[in-house]
């Protein structure tokens, strides 16, 4: 059974650009959530999608957005990149609302120059 | 929201030693979990332990919900145990799933 797949693994962008990150959940999982990890702020919740609907959103500016497709794959977009957006972005999928069936991908390391 | 504090922030062990990692919460917990972040960045779900004690091989975890803390025990540590350990309180309901993480304990096991 394939795990949670995030692409790309590494990304380098410059300030002002926009970026799209992709997450393919485990087959059958309908909940996909996103987290940002930085050395200064640690792991912070971005948003969560279930059956193409955003159910919850963390305390991030509107430059951070996401969506989920009918096959449960999810994308997150960051517009007008800032240096502080450099981070590891992690995606997690779960089967319905089950904490014991929560699995993370290996993340996308975004560097903003 | 709930605040999660972990201690110690850093830990260096010799292979074979035992260790205890602690997680304190500012409020009651209902969905306490422990994760291990491997060198490739992936978070591995170790335990879902809202209360009581669970064991999985050399790892065990105990949560005392009434006193708002949880402990992760690592016995006979191995170099492959190195990485960062996180505890987190989860919310899982129709309003959405989300985790609130502690700052982590960075563990280095030396051969």
């Amino acid at each position: 059974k394939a795990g949670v797949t995030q692409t790309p693994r590494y990304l380098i962008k410059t300030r002002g650009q926009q970026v799209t990150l992709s997450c393919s959940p485990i087959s059958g999982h309908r909940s996909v959530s996103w987290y940002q990890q930085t050395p200064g702020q640690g792991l912070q919740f971005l948003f969560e999608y279930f059956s193409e609907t955003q159910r919850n959103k963390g305390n991030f500016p509107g430059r951070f957005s996401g969506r989920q497709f009918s096959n449960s794959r999810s994308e997150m977009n960051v517009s007008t990149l800032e240096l502080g957006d450099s981070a590891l972005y992690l995606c997690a999928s779960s089967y319905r609302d089950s904490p014991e069936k929560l699995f993370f991908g290996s993340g996308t390391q975004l560097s903003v120059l | 929201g709930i605040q999660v504090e972990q201690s110690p922030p850093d830990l260096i062990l010799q292979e074979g030693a035992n260790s205890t990692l602690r997680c304190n919460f500012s409020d009651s917990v209902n969905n306490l979990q422990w994760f291990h972040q491997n060198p490739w960045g992936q978070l591995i779900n170790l335990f879902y332990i809202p209360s009581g004690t669970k064991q999985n091989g050399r790892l065990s975890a105990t949560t005392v919900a009434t006193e708002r803390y949880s402990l992760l025990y690592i016995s006979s540590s191995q170099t492959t145990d190195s990485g960062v350990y996180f505890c987190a309180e989860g919310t899982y309901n129709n309003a959405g799933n989300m985790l609130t993480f502690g700052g982590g304990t960075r563990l280095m096991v030396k051969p």
Side-chain angles (χ1 to χ4, degrees):
Chain A
K1 192 173 186 180
V4 179
T5 304
Q6 291 189 246
T7 57
R9 183 72 179 96
Y10 300 97
L11 205 49
I12 299 175
K13 293 286 187 178
T14 56
R15 279 181 300 174
Q17 288 186 312
Q18 75 160 13
V19 67
T20 299
L21 312 181
S22 178
C23 173
S24 294
I26 291 172
S27 177
H29 286 194
R30 294 166 64 188
S31 168
V32 175
S33 49
W34 290 87
Y35 293 83
Q36 182 197 62
Q37 185 175 22
T38 61
Q41 299 299 318
L43 278 156
Q44 293 184 290
F45 171 76
L46 279 159
F47 28 65
E48 187 252 0
Y49 289 87
F50 185 89
S51 293
E52 302 180 64
T53 300
Q54 184 183 92
R55 296 197 296 182
N56 204 353
K57 182 174 169 61
N59 188 25
F60 279 83
R63 299 185 297 106
F64 291 81
S65 63
R67 59 177 174 170
Q68 187 180 34
F69 302 95
S70 58
N71 62 357
S72 293
R73 189 178 72 86
S74 177
E75 289 181 346
M76 68 163 283
N77 184 276
V78 187
S79 62
T80 318
L81 284 166
E82 301 177 359
L83 295 179
D85 297 333
S86 295
L88 178 66
Y89 290 88
L90 291 163
C91 159
S93 77
S94 66
Y95 176 71
R96 297 181 67 85
D97 300 324
S98 174
E100 292 175 291
K101 290 180 170 61
L102 177 73
F103 298 91
F104 279 84
S106 294
T108 293
Q109 183 67 55
L110 172 65
S111 297
V112 182
L113 306 178
Chain B
I2 191 170
Q3 304 297 315
V4 183
E5 290 188 4
Q6 291 188 242
S7 60
D10 297 279
L11 189 58
I12 301 175
L13 297 175
Q14 207 64 39
E15 198 168 27
N18 303 326
S19 62
T20 301
L21 282 57
R22 187 178 179 102
C23 187
N24 289 330
F25 298 87
S26 62
D27 205 342
S28 58
V29 294
N30 299 299
N31 293 293
L32 193 284
Q33 295 180 254
W34 283 94
F35 296 88
H36 174 223
Q37 188 167 37
N38 62 27
W40 297 273
Q42 187 178 20
L43 282 166
I44 308 298
N45 198 343
L46 294 176
F47 292 103
Y48 169 66
I49 184 159
S51 64
T53 298
K54 287 186 178 179
Q55 182 159 5
N56 184 1
R58 297 180 295 102
L59 271 59
S60 65
T62 295
T63 295
V64 183
T66 53
E67 297 188 24
R68 302 178 182 176
Y69 73 88
S70 183
L71 302 173
L72 178 69
Y73 304 95
I74 304 175
S75 64
S76 303
S77 58
Q78 300 177 357
T79 56
T80 52
D81 295 330
S82 297
V84 186
Y85 290 82
F86 292 97
C87 62
E89 168 63 3
T91 301
Y92 296 89
N93 53 42
N94 288 335
N97 300 338
M98 69 168 283
L99 291 164
T100 300
F101 285 89
T105 292
R106 184 175 300 275
L107 173 65
M108 180 184 296
V109 180
K110 294 186 173 182

